[in-house]
Amino acid sequence: MPYTAIVGLQWGDEGKGKVIDYLAKDYDAVVRFQGGANAGHTVYVNGKKFSFHILPSGLLREEVVGIIGPGVVVDPESFKSEAESLRSQIGDLEGRLFVDPRAHLVMPYHKMEDELFESHSEKPIGTTKKGIGPANRDKYARLGIRLGDILRPSYLREHINRAYDFNRRIVESYGKNFPEKDQILDFLMEFAEYVRPFVADTVLLLEDLEKSGARILLEGAQGTYLDVNFGTYPFVTSSHTISGGAAISGIAPWKIRRVVGVFKAYTTRVGEGPFPTEERSEIGERLKEEGSEFGTTTGRARRCGWLDIPLIRYASIINGVTDLFMTKVDVLEKIGIYRAAVEYEVFEERTGFPPAYSEDWYHIKPVYKDYRSWEDMINEIEKTLEIDVRFVSTGREREEVIERKGG
Ligand code: IMP
């Protein structure tokens, strides 16, 4: 079967960029299926750092085709600046990078609204302010502008008013100026010229790739607990980050036969929301420093804490994980403490799974266990999840991966 999905089992930042780059050596194409420029995937090759937000990380492998599926929201500015920067480093992307015309655009006013909602909210989410929430809101409210629309200017002019009027009312209600329609149209027309060579019906592209026997990676962004259904709602992102989300690229679910679940040897979270094993102490600070836990997209410091086995166990069920990939064990080695939550106490009852009720997340008391080494931690994980940890990442470079049990 051609498809392998790669998903995060925590709150994102599990090191999926490195994992995708590493696994891409055995694949022909990589598909981003959700999210947008809120993602931050970092890859180090020969000491050089590459940061991806909207483009698929697998593009660093020369022979790999990168696809942005219809479920992604595309920010024109990020797309252009990232494609330009990558082109200057690895060469022309035409014929290697494709984006589906059904992908929605993140409009400049979506970013304004994200900023306004956050700064005026009593309980901000701590978003990346990349306009992800408002862009997806408009998609589902049927007010979105799709990439294909800007390649059909007369259609766009006919349809933009509903979106324009609705969003203008929102922005103006905060006392802010809204851009003129012509300004927005000019911006879109300029991007249309840039993006035109990359636009293709990715359903047919994938069908051709499948027929030619290609192996295809599905690159998940963020993590299971940022999923809009299964995450710590409302402190989540506005897309489906789980393996099931990959199917909205027009890929039949039964074709996805392998799901690699990626998790860090400890836990981090950026933004607001519950985090049961958070370590608000000197040790948490050390995890942050040793692990360079600062966001790729926003530079914000990540909150740090211990590995949470109930969390990744539940995530492995939701995603149907077949192989586990554990990252950043070198960071734990530097700290020298191998600790994990093995159960929770919630309202004085023991449980091995996170709650389905938002409120209960705030009442979790983790039950911790200490181990002599990360190998011992892996034994516990494999026993509990009944899934093999096939890969362990021991450093940031491409080569620093241990393949276990046949990999
Ligand atoms: P949004 O996706 O920008 O709307 O942000 C919603 C939440 O998801 C915030 O807590 C963000 O910090 C978090 N988030 C979004 N993208 C990422 C990511 O790539 N890694 C980690 N957290 C993310």
Side-chain angles (χ1 to χ4, degrees):
M1 270 310 138
Y3 292 101
T4 296
I6 298 178
V7 290
L9 303 183
Q10 296 158 324
W11 279 282
D13 306 317
E14 294 93 351
K16 293 183 295 299
K18 171 174 174 172
V19 167
I20 290 152
D21 171 71
Y22 179 78
L23 295 178
K25 67 184 184 336
D26 299 322
Y27 287 81
D28 306 291
V30 180
V31 184
R32 268 288 304 270
F33 58 86
Q34 46 68 234
N38 50 347
H41 291 167
T42 311
V43 183
Y44 289 88
V45 182
N46 301 326
K48 205 165 167 202
K49 182 177 174 182
F50 295 86
S51 297
F52 291 89
H53 301 288
I54 184 82
L55 302 186
S57 322
L59 279 170
L60 287 182
R61 303 261 180 195
E62 230 170 73
E63 55 299 342
V64 167
V65 169
I67 295 171
I68 299 177
V72 175
V73 290
V74 175
D75 175 350
E77 285 157 331
S78 296
F79 183 97
K80 192 171 166 193
S81 70
E82 210 171 305
E84 281 305 295
S85 128
L86 198 59
R87 192 169 63 93
S88 70
Q89 285 166 307
I90 66 165
D92 219 348
L93 295 172
E94 270 182 50
R96 285 194 59 205
L97 172 64
F98 300 94
V99 50
D100 195 276
R102 285 160 287 218
H104 280 247
L105 291 177
V106 178
M107 302 290 277
Y109 48 74
H110 290 141
K111 289 195 259 190
M112 290 169 80
E113 289 167 24
D114 199 354
E115 180 99 43
L116 287 167
F117 288 154
E118 284 287 277
S119 58
H120 287 80
S121 170
E122 200 181 288
K123 280 196 187 295
I125 288 165
T127 72
T128 60
K129 302 199 173 132
K130 297 288 179 189
I132 303 299
N136 281 291
R137 177 206 64 208
D138 276 5
K139 170 177 173 174
Y140 287 96
R142 292 153 293 175
L143 287 170
I145 305 293
R146 307 205 290 181
L147 187 56
D149 301 342
I150 68 171
L151 296 177
R152 300 284 184 269
S154 53
Y155 178 91
L156 177 68
R157 277 172 211 281
E158 217 181 292
H159 283 83
I160 199 170
N161 287 345
R162 289 173 71 237
Y164 183 84
D165 292 342
F166 178 77
N167 282 279
R168 193 190 56 202
R169 284 199 183 97
I170 294 178
V171 170
E172 287 181 352
S173 75
Y174 286 98
K176 297 280 174 199
N177 288 333
F178 198 70
E180 293 299 323
K181 200 180 298 166
D182 280 344
Q183 231 177 314
I184 293 179
L185 286 169
D186 288 349
F187 168 81
L188 294 176
M189 288 305 103
E190 198 190 317
F191 181 58
E193 284 322 300
Y194 184 81
V195 78
R196 191 185 301 278
F198 302 109
V199 182
D201 182 336
T202 59
V203 171
L204 299 177
L205 187 64
L206 288 169
E207 166 81 349
D208 283 348
L209 282 166
E210 274 183 44
K211 285 202 170 129
S212 70
R215 300 184 64 194
I216 303 160
L217 278 182
L218 302 166
E219 171 175 355
Q222 292 86 42
T224 299
Y225 293 93
L226 289 172
D227 181 275
V228 68
N229 267 357
F230 295 103
T232 44
Y233 194 88
F235 302 98
V236 295
T237 190
S238 299
S239 67
H240 294 288
T241 60
I242 57 170
S243 62
I248 63 155
S249 303
I251 296 161
W254 59 267
K255 292 181 181 166
I256 306 168
R257 294 299 282 271
R258 189 176 180 210
V259 178
V260 180
V262 187
F263 66 99
K264 237 180 321 214
Y266 48 99
T267 311
T268 64
R269 154 158 225 178
V270 58
E272 302 304 317
F275 178 177
T277 61
E278 182 168 15
E279 188 62 36
R280 285 183 223 188
S281 66
E282 186 56 28
I283 301 177
E285 284 298 308
R286 282 192 55 211
L287 281 169
K288 185 170 80 189
E289 295 306 324
E290 297 291 356
S292 305
E293 297 296 349
F294 298 91
T296 313
T297 304
T298 58
R300 288 180 294 173
R302 298 179 185 140
R303 297 153 66 192
C304 297
W306 302 112
L307 178 69
D308 184 337
I309 295 179
L311 195 82
I312 63 168
R313 182 183 181 193
Y314 196 64
S316 76
I317 297 170
I318 294 168
N319 289 289
V321 170
T322 58
D323 311 39
L324 291 165
F325 200 131
M326 182 170 174
T327 62
K328 290 197 149 175
V329 295
D330 52 308
V331 176
L332 268 199
E333 248 167 12
K334 284 187 195 139
I335 307 283
I337 302 171
Y338 304 98
R339 184 168 297 164
V342 288
E343 272 191 310
Y344 297 149
E345 212 183 276
V346 186
F347 299 125
E348 289 170 20
E349 273 188 37
R350 288 280 181 115
T351 168
F353 298 107
Y357 297 82
S358 294
E359 186 186 5
D360 298 6
W361 280 87
Y362 297 93
H363 298 275
I364 293 174
K365 291 188 191 125
V367 180
Y368 288 111
K369 196 163 154 184
D370 282 340
Y371 303 86
R372 276 171 305 154
S373 64
W374 54 261
E375 285 90 347
D376 285 345
M377 273 169 87
I378 287 181
N379 288 340
E380 178 93 40
I381 292 163
E382 291 187 329
K383 204 172 73 204
T384 314
L385 274 61
E386 299 181 67
I387 305 166
D388 288 341
V389 177
R390 298 281 288 271
F391 307 92
V392 179
S393 166
T394 56
R396 65 189 198 182
E397 282 289 329
R398 194 179 251 179
E399 297 73 29
E400 293 176 289
V401 173
I402 300 170
E403 295 202 13
R404 304 168 75 243
K405 304 184 184 176

